[in-house]
Amino acid sequence: MVHGKLLVSVAALAILAGVPPFHDARGYAAQGIGAEAPPGEWRSAPEYVRLFTPLRAHTESYRAYVSPRSMGDLLRQLESDPSLLSPPGAWTPTALLSSEAFGLSGSYDRAKLAQLYGARRALVARGPRGGGGRPTQAWTLISPYPDRNLERLEPGTLLIVLNLVG
């Protein structure tokens, strides 16, 4: 359940950091953090929103992007981004089974995805992004990621962004 895990993860990280997870959204919209594309080499990939986010969610709350770069390269590049918040546990890559990485709430074929990954685990990093020390987005990076037909694994990184304000 990508949405539930993201929301719980960001809320927990924000609390540990001493930051309230939700705040007046007007300030963040003025800062432009809610809808802007991530910095770097990313291509918008709305097909992944339909696959891996909750079916009943407001799709405008989610964005998806893909990059040909490895997660390690991207995390090193993102270290200099002042909008990334770093509470304990954020941005730490973890090897997860595909069902844990992608959750159970999307429309994707779970058996097909499990077969695609086989014994291989997806590398997943999660963390909040925001302005003024307050989270406005929850980011999930996954590498490698499946193509949109769940037929092959792509060597780059998938980014799913949940806007927490709006």
Side-chain angles (χ1 to χ4, degrees):
M1 189 162 116
V2 172
H3 176 264
K5 284 184 180 178
L6 284 173
L7 194 54
V8 170
S9 296
V10 168
L13 291 171
I15 290 168
L16 288 172
V19 176
F22 299 101
H23 196 266
D24 182 6
R26 292 179 298 252
Y28 305 130
Q31 295 174 31
I33 295 201
E36 73 184 41
E41 301 174 40
W42 295 98
R43 174 184 62 82
S44 180
E47 63 274 16
Y48 289 102
V49 171
R50 292 185 292 279
L51 274 177
F52 298 122
T53 63
L55 297 172
R56 298 178 197 261
H58 296 286
T59 55
E60 64 272 4
S61 297
Y62 289 91
R63 299 283 184 269
Y65 305 90
V66 294
S67 172
R69 297 182 60 193
S70 72
M71 182 180 298
D73 286 347
L74 291 168
L75 289 174
R76 280 188 291 281
Q77 174 192 341
L78 291 171
E79 284 177 356
S80 64
D81 183 346
S83 69
L84 293 186
L85 307 177
S86 297
W91 312 111
T92 303
T94 305
L96 298 175
L97 295 172
S98 61
S99 61
E100 295 172 313
F102 293 95
L104 301 173
S105 61
S107 64
Y108 70 95
D109 182 330
R110 285 143 187 71
K112 192 172 181 180
L113 186 69
Q115 183 178 15
L116 178 63
Y117 274 91
R120 186 174 189 171
R121 295 186 181 237
L123 195 59
V124 178
R126 294 183 170 101
R129 184 175 186 225
R134 301 195 191 297
T136 58
Q137 296 178 337
W139 282 23
T140 299
L141 293 95
I142 303 170
S143 182
Y145 66 95
D147 72 325
R148 67 182 192 180
N149 297 318
L150 307 181
E151 294 173 351
R152 70 178 184 282
L153 290 176
E154 300 291 345
T157 304
L158 167 67
L159 167 61
I160 298 174
V161 177
L162 169 62
N163 289 310
L164 301 173
V165 295

